[in-house]
Amino acid sequence: ELKVEQNPLFLSMQEGKNYTIYCNYSTTSDRLYWYRQDPGKSLESLFVLLSNGAVKQEGRLMASLDTKARLSTLHITAAVHDLSATYFCAVVGLTGANSKLTFGKGITLSVRP
Amino acid sequence: GAGVSQSPSNKVTEKGKDVELRCDPISGHTALYWYRQSLGQGLEFLIYFQGNSAPDKSGLPSDRFSAERTGGSVSTLTIQRTQQEDSAVYLCASSPGTSGNEQFFGPGTRLTVL
């Protein structure tokens, strides 16, 4: 059974500093997605990582994928208040044709002045 | 263009009643997914439709849950004899196909069972 773990579950960040959050998964996969969720809102797609070594950047966020380590990292550069939200990673397993997403529990980021 | 839409946005019902939740995927997307988000269980897959293939119902938590997708577009998730543990946000997502395509989520339906 595919399991996805994110840590930490909550992170208080100081404005202007850099942080990295992690997503581990338990079985082979080459498709990993990062989503953002604001309170009371739906999921907004941030990154799609489709191969080993994939790196994507958007603004202050950079995501990477290491399929051998079964690990994705989300690096935050110079945190700002607007980044406060919950971030989910989700993985698609290789078995079968179903592209259902298995989600981590999410990491809630809070940026303080 | 229009994104995934869901209705109603909120639904309050009494225990034992049936409810229907609706999802309109992005036009042209062949794949449609239902997920459930609750405090205790996080985000869980429920059911998946792809084109004319038989749906993958492996995530449905009980036989009180069912879903249909008519004409390869609109989908309805039905919960019969609702229980309090069914209270959650039900999210629908669609994608252009199966391989590597990101899923676009709707705003969700918040279901509260009293």
Side-chain angles (χ1 to χ4, degrees), chain B:
Chain B
V4 178
S5 61
Q6 292 185 245
S7 61
S9 55
N10 279 285
K11 177 72 178 178
V12 180
T13 190
E14 293 178 349
K15 178 181 170 181
K17 301 279 190 186
D18 298 353
V19 295
E20 283 190 353
L21 313 180
R22 177 186 167 106
C23 171
D24 283 89
I26 293 171
S27 177
H29 280 192
T30 59
L32 186 147
Y33 307 78
W34 284 96
Y35 295 87
R36 176 169 74 171
Q37 185 173 28
S38 59
L39 279 175
Q41 301 299 322
L43 275 153
E44 306 171 278
F45 164 78
L46 295 177
I47 188 169
Y48 159 66
F49 296 90
Q50 171 57 39
N52 296 321
S53 303
D56 179 343
K57 306 179 183 180
S58 60
L60 295 179
S62 79
D63 58 9
R64 296 186 294 104
F65 288 70
S66 62
E68 290 185 337
R69 188 178 185 192
T70 53
S73 181
V74 171
S75 176
T76 303
L77 177 68
T78 301
I79 309 172
Q80 295 179 308
R81 305 181 302 282
T82 52
Q83 303 294 313
Q84 287 183 333
E85 62 262 27
D86 299 334
S87 297
V89 176
Y90 289 81
L91 293 164
C92 175
S94 71
S95 77
T98 55
S99 180
N101 293 127
E102 66 188 297
Q103 296 176 24
F104 297 88
F105 282 79
T109 294
R110 180 175 296 278
L111 174 66
T112 303
V113 182
L114 301 176

Side-chain angles (χ1 to χ4, degrees), chain A residues 12-66:
Chain A
S12 178
M13 304 190 294
Q14 190 171 352
E15 266 188 347
K17 294 205 168 177
N18 301 335
Y19 296 87
T20 301
I21 60 178
Y22 301 92
C23 173
N24 293 86
Y25 52 97
S26 61
T27 64
T28 304
S29 173
D30 59 0
R31 285 184 274 168
L32 189 139
Y33 304 82
W34 283 94
Y35 287 89
R36 168 182 171 143
Q37 187 176 40
D38 291 285
K41 303 292 186 183
S42 189
L43 298 168
E44 174 192 352
S45 178
L46 292 176
F47 299 109
V48 179
L49 302 170
L50 297 178
S51 61
N52 186 41
V55 177
K56 295 275 184 78
Q57 181 157 9
E58 181 71 35
R60 300 174 186 274
L61 301 178
M62 183 173 72
S64 63
L65 178 62
D66 181 344

